[in-house]
Amino acid sequence: MKYFSARIAIAAIAGAALGLSAVGSASAAQKPQKGGILNFVVGSKIPSYDGHRETTFGVIHPLAPFYSLLIRINPDNPQSATDFVCDLCKGKLAKPTNGGTTYTFKIRKGVKFHDGTPLTAADIVATYQKIIFPPEGIPSARKTFFRMVESVSAPSKYTVVFKLQFPSGAFIGALGNPYNWTYSKKDLDENGYTWHQKNINGTGPFVFVQHQPGSFVEGKRYAGYHHKGQPYLDGYKAISASKMAVRLQAIRGGRAAIEFRGFPPKARDDLVKALGDKITVQESDWNCALMTTPNHKVKPFDDPRVRRALTLSLDRWGGSKYLSNIAIVKTVGGVVFPGHPLAATKEELQKIAGYWPDIEKSRAEAKRLLKEAGVAGMSFEFHNRGVDQPYKVVGTWMIDQWRRIGLKVTQRVQPSPAFYATLRKKKDFQVSMDFNCQAVINPIADITKFLGSAGNNYGSFEDKVLEDIYNKLLRSGDVNTQLKLIRQYEKRALDEQASGALTLWWYKINPHRSFVKGWKIAPSHYLNQQLDNVWLDKKLM
Amino acid sequence: MYAYIVKRLLLMIPTLLGAAVLVFYLLRAVPGDPCEIRLAGTGLYADPAEIELCQKNLGLDRPLYVQFFEFVGGYFTGDLGDSMWTGRPITYEIGLRFQLSLQVAIMATIVSVLLAIPLGTISAIRQDTWIDYVVRAFSIAGIAIPSFWLGIMIILGLLIITQQWFGTPWMPPIDYVSPFEDPLANLSQLIWPAIATGYRYSAVATRMTRSAMLEVLREDYIRTARAKGLLEKLIINRHALKNAMLPVVTIISIEFAFLIGGLVVTEQVFNLNGLGKLFVDSVGAQDFNLTQQLAMLVVLIFIVTNFVVDLFYAWLDPRIRYA
């Protein structure tokens, strides 16, 4: 436990350091000012309004401010992966009882939906019933996150109880997912489970005003918001802009003050050069990792020696230095988000194939393995996604890295729909780019990506040893046991079997107008988007 | 004439049907579907059961011929279906963008006509003088420069110049305001894409006007008009220009049809919420319903425009009579 606490402390310090790596002035000591409209740009489209159903940040950024969550990542400390606080619940976060299988939450009184309906525990239960146990025909994108949940109930008007089938370290993270918007039971009962796809009624800091599809979403301040004194803004306008150049110029030209997803390093430098101290930059590690997936059904990638050779040839430590100047990647890490208490230390990482400090030794071993497997100097096709940042940039770097062990690699780039069809249906690839992008940092849930049985693992393999380690991990409530099991899992997935390989973790860069205050960068573009603590410094406008 | 009109209208039906078959099947030949994009496209875990449910809810699990008949049947029932991405009616999605696209097309056409006809005419009248050379260079540059590149240059130019002159960079608005709500804001947004596309569009029309005018100015009837002492202004305006307009009208009309749905990149550059951007978004999301209706709309616009142009010929040149 001591080890875990020390790791939490280090993570918190690292997080704070990252969050404060700002070019402009810090805002912590300033008193928030009320008023003003925040204009921001969003690079993705809104499919439906139902957060329970959708997976894109194009829903989160413009619509999350209309809703509240039962619990959320602390908006004043979003860098911490473990600092969850109550939003609609009351007081400190509930500690589990009954051996870690029961979570009881007291619900705030006096909270009202925007249509005036009072919020009770029944609304929370109805919301989570929809997310975890949706009726037949009703989609729920994250119900598998709650595999450990047995039931959700409301023993009293303001008490909610979650009963788990087994204790799980993944539960709180799943509960704090930013898509778990609280809906009114009345809306669900009277209008059905699809009503929220086209209608909005939440308890969030802002009230829906209008949505012009493809153009913008507008919200105005909700006077009855349950966090006293908030929100500070009078309203906001989320302007849709699919092209990065438009979003960048919009901030430069004053049409928008911020973009919450992130820009590449060059864009940050251009903005800072053009606007100087009128721009503040916040940077952070990003809970997205770029990976490669060999197709285990295709020879010679069914041979672990060949897969190990592929990962051994990648100079991650050197690549981090150069690629971070041109792409949205930076940090070298294992299966767990870097800096998280469950993540591998640098020393632990350097024992894994492909992370050795001596790249020449690593490449010599890669060549030996290829020779031993009888495929030295082989050719293959690398399948990549037709998106520049960071896929094509990193893909091109990887091809060069593989060339250094004598491999001849060509690249097949496909637009997103065809790329996914290849991975999921056609499976006619040899080695493919892949990625693992998550909202809340919830390592025990996030690392399922490396399991052959996972729906989003496209390697077509079975690894019973890895599955067994994971099943023990999922059912472990003890942090030290979790740490031990995760290291075994990491070694098995990335080294012994090299069933998939991580390249670099993404790096989030948010340059914004310096008058935007209160918003703190999180390690995910899905997090901390309710905007209730954001304010505008009128002196800087 | 009436028989010709009816025949042309009837001929539109097999053309549209052929286009419908092509659009429907080609779209589905591309790998992937909207559910894959919606649930797996972000890299988050996508439950295969959820993807199947999504496909079932959108009717993608039904045989292709059933989906095709539903698509074509929509034209008879007046129900074009819903977008597979947003769930909203397609008529609403298209209607919302049509106003902007039409306005940009009209403005770009005005810019183009205002540039092309005077420049092309002057260039022809002053053939092989410095004026002709300047106009030709101007029009060749217009053909060579892609309108999206010009758009990017306009935005960057505005940002740099306004920052240098006023200390604060300015760029055109990036969200649409209706001209009926705020005409000035509307104009400050749409004038720039209209210039960027209108210039390119004018370049082709300028060259066409010039060559058509040169041809007409060498005709016998122009020589006769000059011989009988008619004013040069009248010769140009009344006898030469009107007769030179036939190919120019064709070019302008086809370009106009293209502008309504084809400003794909320019709309992206200026962040215009028009039909071109909707097209890109719907293709990117593999929204089959919306993409096929947009493609059919473009086909319809081209067919109707060509039909109107043919009728317009008869007005321009009384010798043309359709039987």
Side-chain angles (χ1 to χ4, degrees), chain A residues 47 53-55 137 139-140 144 198 211 213-214 237 240-241 243 249 252 255 274 417 424-425 435 437 455, chain B residues 31 36 38 42 44-45 50-51 57 86-88 96-97 159 163 169-171 175 268-269 271 273 277 286:
Chain A
R53 174 191 198 218
E54 304 300 346
T55 61
S140 171
T144 48
K198 291 178 185 171
H211 174 211
K237 195 172 192 179
S240 175
K243 285 278 151 202
Q249 304 308 359
R252 186 175 168 185
R255 295 290 167 191
R424 299 178 64 86
K425 285 183 185 163
F435 68 110
C437 210
Chain B
E36 299 268 348
R38 181 177 224 129
T42 57
L44 294 172
Y45 170 71
E50 285 296 312
I51 292 180
N57 287 347
T86 65
R88 287 190 207 91
L96 197 70
R97 277 88 172 179
L159 283 166
Q163 187 165 16
W170 181 91
M171 72 176 286
D175 52 326
Q268 300 265 335
V269 167
N271 204 45
N273 190 28
K277 187 163 170 268
Q286 293 219 305

Side-chain angles (χ1 to χ4, degrees), chain B:
Chain B
M1 183 72 171
Y2 290 114
Y4 173 79
I5 293 173
V6 172
K7 197 175 150 193
R8 282 291 301 268
L9 286 172
L10 287 173
L11 267 174
M12 284 182 191
I13 297 169
T15 313
L16 286 169
L17 195 64
V21 173
L22 272 178
V23 166
F24 181 86
Y25 285 99
L26 283 178
L27 268 178
R28 280 152 181 86
V30 178
D33 67 48
C35 296
E36 299 268 348
I37 296 293
R38 181 177 224 129
L39 294 164
T42 57
L44 294 172
Y45 170 71
D47 187 349
E50 285 296 312
I51 292 180
E52 265 179 46
L53 175 63
C54 168
Q55 287 164 339
K56 195 178 164 202
N57 287 347
L58 292 177
L60 293 168
D61 58 338
R62 295 173 305 163
L64 276 185
Y65 72 89
V66 175
Q67 295 179 49
F68 178 75
F69 283 118
E70 190 182 73
F71 159 48
V72 176
Y75 294 114
F76 298 98
T77 59
D79 177 12
L80 300 188
D82 295 336
S83 158
M84 289 177 162
W85 186 252
T86 65
R88 287 190 207 91
I90 284 170
T91 43
Y92 171 77
E93 294 282 0
I94 292 178
L96 197 70
R97 277 88 172 179
F98 191 77
Q99 185 187 349
L100 184 144
S101 289
L102 185 67
Q103 194 190 340
V104 175
I106 291 170
M107 286 172 71
T109 306
I110 291 170
V111 169
S112 162
V113 169
L114 288 179
L115 284 173
I117 294 179
L119 289 179
T121 309
I122 291 168
S123 183
I125 296 167
R126 301 273 181 263
Q127 191 190 6
D128 294 335
T129 63
W130 68 269
I131 297 174
D132 184 28
Y133 294 138
V134 169
V135 172
R136 282 159 69 183
F138 182 73
S139 59
I140 287 169
I143 293 168
I145 296 172
S147 51
F148 74 85
W149 184 84
L150 187 61
I152 293 169
M153 290 303 112
I154 288 174
I155 292 174
L156 284 176
L158 285 170
L159 283 166
I160 293 166
I161 292 167
T162 50
Q163 187 165 16
Q164 280 179 354
W165 288 1
F166 309 110
T168 309
W170 181 91
M171 72 176 286
I174 53 169
D175 52 326
Y176 179 65
V177 183
S178 162
F180 306 108
E181 252 175 66
D182 186 347
L184 204 65
N186 175 273
L187 194 67
S188 72
Q189 182 188 26
L190 299 189
I191 189 68
W192 312 104
I195 289 172
T197 46
Y199 171 45
R200 196 202 174 279
Y201 175 15
S202 77
V204 182
T206 303
R207 292 186 66 78
M208 187 58 80
T209 308
R210 180 181 178 274
S211 57
M213 275 295 282
L214 283 174
E215 210 172 294
V216 170
L217 286 171
R218 291 189 184 104
E219 293 286 340
D220 289 346
Y221 64 88
I222 298 290
R223 196 183 306 127
T224 309
R226 281 187 178 133
K228 72 177 186 182
L230 208 62
L231 283 174
E232 188 66 13
K233 201 172 138 187
L234 282 178
I235 294 169
I236 300 296
N237 289 343
R238 193 176 295 171
H239 298 287
L241 195 56
K242 196 176 170 190
N243 285 311
M245 281 296 101
L246 275 179
V248 179
V249 166
T250 310
I251 289 283
I252 288 173
S253 309
I254 291 171
E255 289 279 346
F256 178 77
F258 168 77
L259 285 177
I260 290 181
L263 285 181
V264 173
V265 187
T266 308
E267 283 185 7
Q268 300 265 335
V269 167
F270 288 97
N271 204 45
L272 303 178
N273 190 28
L275 291 176
K277 187 163 170 268
L278 185 64
F279 224 136
V280 173
D281 288 348
S282 67
V283 169
Q286 293 219 305
D287 186 341
F288 297 142
N289 282 359
L290 185 54
T291 310
Q292 65 205 19
Q293 297 296 359
L294 281 166
M296 291 305 293
L297 177 70
V298 173
V299 171
L300 187 69
I301 288 169
F302 270 92
I303 291 176
V304 171
T305 308
N306 274 324
F307 175 61
V308 172
V309 169
D310 284 351
L311 297 182
F312 197 55
Y313 281 167
W315 177 79
L316 274 176
D317 187 347
R319 290 170 302 174
I320 297 174
R321 286 287 174 265
Y322 297 112

